[in-house]
């Protein structure tokens, strides 16, 4: 029997994302989500999570995305811009890291504050992942593993989508980014095994990131090899409203529709797939 975690990222980033996570879990196949401590809609997300005891809730560590840090910007000056916000994207963060502009004691302090903010809610935490997957970036990885050990968390996302997956159908730029991430995540996975951390055997959602449709999800469930899988999703309601805030080009409503699809359910039943969350891993 294949076991599949269907995870919605960015819980807490916006009310329309929160609503989609609630609907996708209550009426669909969504089993897991990743909570953003700096998210503007964090409090609402926590309230919704409390209404969904079967929904696995992980920590979506954040150092990018134009969000405000949990700590005061004065406490983490090398992590924020003149407006007191994180850089917009991972490329800006990586550039700052490799030009020596980031103080990693601030990275440790900020990520610890994010973890503590989520733990303080009393929600059972199932795993750790990160916004734009920065937790597997080599300079960030030791900070994350140290914090996981400190707070007793041993499950995490390893975003290593197979190199050959959709090699001829994904735009070259996205393929290059996916392959670089897979390389870094594979290195992290070797270290995670030595630390006795748990993750999935397979990860899916980079090639189709923000553009997962019913048809694409059906294809994945039909073809995945034997093992434990995570499929990353980004569902949302009211795509026009979300599009005013986030310029990512995500197909928010299509992703939610896929989570609610009877066709998807039928394929999962036919393939004897069990939907689980990270809390079900050893």
């Amino acid at each position: 029997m294949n076991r599949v975690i269907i995870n919605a990222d960015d819980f807490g980033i916006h009310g329309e994302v929160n609503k989609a996570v609630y609907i996708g879990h209550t009426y669909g196949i969504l089993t897991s989500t990743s909570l953003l401590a700096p998210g503007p809609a964090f409090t609402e997300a926590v309230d919704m999570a409390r209404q969904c005891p079967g929904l696995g809730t992980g920590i979506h560590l954040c150092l990018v995305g134009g969000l405000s840090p949990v700590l005061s910007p004065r406490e983490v000056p090398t992590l924020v811009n003149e407006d007191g916000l994180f850089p917009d994207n991972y490329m800006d963060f990586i550039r700052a890291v490799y030009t020596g502009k980031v103080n990693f004691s601030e990275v440790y302090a900020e990520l610890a504050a994010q973890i503590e903010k989520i733990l303080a809610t009393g929600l059972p935490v199932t795993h750790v992942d990160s916004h734009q997957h920065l937790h597997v970036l080599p300079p960030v990885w030791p900070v994350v593993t140290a914090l996981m050990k400190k707070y007793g968390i041993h499950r995490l996302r390893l975003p290593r989508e197979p190199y050959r997956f959709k090699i001829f159908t994904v735009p070259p730029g996205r393929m290059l980014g996916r392959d670089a991430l897979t390389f870094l995540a594979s290195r992290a996975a070797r270290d995670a095994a030595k630390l006795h951390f748990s993750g999935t055997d397979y990860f899916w959602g980079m090639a189709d990131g923000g553009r997962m449709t019913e048809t694409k999800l059906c294809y994945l469930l039909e073809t995945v090899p034997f093992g434990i899988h995570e499929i990353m999703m980004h569902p949302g309601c009211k795509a026009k409203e979300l599009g005013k805030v986030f310029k990512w080009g995500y197909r928010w409503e299509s992703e939610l529709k896929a989570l609610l699809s009877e066709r998807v359910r039928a394929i999962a039943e036919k393939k004897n797939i069990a939907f689980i969350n990270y809390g079900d891993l050893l």
Side-chain angles (χ1 to χ4, degrees):
M1 174 185 289
N2 272 346
R3 293 187 286 166
V4 176
I5 297 166
I6 308 287
N7 190 87
D9 282 17
D10 304 332
F11 195 36
I13 202 168
H14 193 283
E16 296 301 327
V17 171
N18 292 349
K19 189 186 303 181
V21 169
Y22 179 84
I23 293 170
H25 174 69
T26 304
Y27 303 105
I29 61 168
L30 185 69
T31 57
S32 178
T33 192
S34 304
L35 180 59
L36 265 171
F42 173 83
T43 301
E44 179 190 59
V46 170
D47 290 341
M48 287 182 169
R50 289 186 175 127
Q51 298 174 47
C52 302
L55 178 67
T57 303
I59 296 174
H60 204 48
L61 296 173
C62 182
L63 295 166
V64 292
L67 299 174
S68 299
V70 168
L71 295 178
S72 163
R74 293 189 300 276
E75 297 176 271
V76 288
T78 71
L79 304 185
V80 299
N81 60 23
E82 59 275 11
D83 296 319
L85 304 176
F86 290 137
D88 284 337
N89 57 65
Y90 70 93
M91 287 304 297
D92 290 342
F93 179 79
I94 290 172
R95 192 176 300 112
V97 167
Y98 288 104
T99 55
K101 296 177 181 177
V102 172
N103 181 334
F104 275 85
S105 67
E106 294 176 19
V107 173
Y108 184 96
E110 171 61 23
L111 295 185
Q114 293 181 19
I115 292 171
E116 290 176 3
K117 180 176 178 180
I118 292 175
L119 291 176
T121 68
L123 292 172
V125 169
T126 56
H127 70 286
V128 165
D129 55 37
S130 63
H131 205 35
Q132 301 184 24
H133 310 290
L134 283 177
H135 67 290
V136 298
L137 188 71
V140 177
W141 173 250
V143 176
V144 172
T145 57
L147 289 169
M148 288 178 65
K149 288 187 286 186
K150 176 180 179 179
Y151 294 104
I153 304 167
H154 68 273
R155 304 179 187 95
L156 79 164
R157 169 185 286 169
L158 295 167
R160 42 184 176 166
E161 190 170 73
Y163 291 114
R164 295 184 179 180
F165 181 64
K166 295 195 172 183
I167 190 169
F168 298 115
T169 59
V170 176
R174 178 174 285 267
M175 183 65 66
L176 181 63
R178 188 277 303 278
D179 289 353
L181 179 62
T182 296
F183 174 77
L184 294 178
S186 297
R187 289 182 58 184
R190 293 192 290 271
D191 195 28
K194 295 175 185 176
L195 293 167
H196 305 291
F197 291 164
S198 300
T200 60
D201 301 317
Y202 299 94
F203 172 84
W204 313 92
M206 279 302 296
D208 297 313
R211 297 169 177 83
M212 188 70 73
T213 63
E214 178 187 52
T215 298
K216 291 174 180 177
L217 187 53
C218 286
Y219 173 78
L220 269 176
L221 295 179
E222 284 272 19
T223 59
V224 292
F226 179 77
I228 303 172
H229 304 259
E230 180 189 352
I231 299 176
M232 178 180 67
M233 304 282 289
H234 296 87
C237 301
K238 296 184 181 179
K240 287 185 179 180
E241 184 172 331
L242 287 167
K244 295 175 183 176
V245 183
F246 308 107
K247 309 302 180 184
W248 304 333
Y250 284 2
R251 299 177 182 174
W252 311 91
E253 293 179 30
S254 293
E255 297 220 1
L256 178 56
K257 180 181 177 182
L259 293 172
L260 303 176
S261 166
E262 290 299 327
R263 181 180 163 209
V264 168
R265 284 185 184 274
I267 289 172
E269 185 173 349
K270 180 183 74 172
K271 302 293 288 188
N272 196 30
I273 289 170
F275 291 115
I276 64 170
N277 65 53
Y278 273 95
D280 297 310
L281 303 183
L282 296 176

